[in-house]
Amino acid sequence: MNDPEVVAELAALYPRYEEALVTNDVPVLTEMFWASPLSIRLGAGENLYGEAEIEAFRLSRPAVGLARRQVRLEIRTFGKDYGSITLEFERDTLNGIVRGRQSQVWVRLDEGWRIVQAHVSILPRS
């Protein structure tokens, strides 16, 4: 667990994903997800199954207000080909700070590391 080389690989990939996310770079986001009908993304307000639904969501969502601050990023790996990345984040809105979290399952496939499953949720305001 947590082989330093494998952790470093995912740590190097994650900033590219984060940049693509906050700029709504759909081609990069699509590339980083597993191109399969079996990929899953459970979002704050949507459940998406398969690459077509995930990409359609990304293409249709507003590309504004996506900036966020990373509060805590954790990477765990198991063997050479499986890992998870979890993130706690904050986003400024007109109604104040919104806190959220995301988790991703990453698998090394023939084409490289891909997100095969992801979850995003917003925490209730306290």
Side-chain angles (χ1 to χ4, degrees):
M1 183 172 159
N2 287 344
D3 177 303
E5 289 180 20
V6 181
V7 171
E9 288 178 37
L10 288 178
L13 284 171
Y14 188 77
R16 183 172 183 240
Y17 176 84
E18 184 70 19
E19 177 67 20
L21 184 69
V22 300
T23 61
N24 203 39
D25 187 337
V26 176
V28 170
L29 292 169
T30 298
E31 172 194 330
M32 296 188 88
F33 263 76
W34 182 29
S36 169
L38 301 176
S39 57
I40 299 171
R41 182 187 177 278
L42 303 177
E46 65 285 335
N47 297 326
L48 308 169
Y49 295 90
E51 64 185 304
E53 288 184 14
I54 295 169
E55 185 174 27
F57 165 77
R58 297 216 185 273
L59 288 168
S60 69
R61 77 175 178 163
V64 295
L66 300 176
R68 62 190 190 173
R69 288 179 299 286
Q70 294 183 26
V71 175
R72 183 173 181 163
L73 180 74
E74 297 284 336
I75 298 174
R76 302 287 183 268
T77 64
F78 302 87
K80 299 282 186 192
D81 301 321
Y82 182 90
S84 67
I85 298 178
T86 57
L87 173 72
E88 292 180 47
F89 63 86
E90 292 180 343
R91 177 175 284 132
D92 294 321
T93 71
L94 295 175
N95 296 321
I97 295 173
V98 171
R99 298 204 63 214
R101 56 203 167 177
Q102 76 178 29
S103 59
Q104 302 166 334
V105 175
W106 291 71
V107 176
R108 186 194 317 266
L109 302 168
D110 289 341
E111 60 270 26
W113 284 102
R114 296 294 184 265
I115 301 165
V116 299
Q117 183 171 319
H119 171 263
V120 180
S121 59
I122 303 300
L123 294 168
R125 292 186 189 274
S126 53

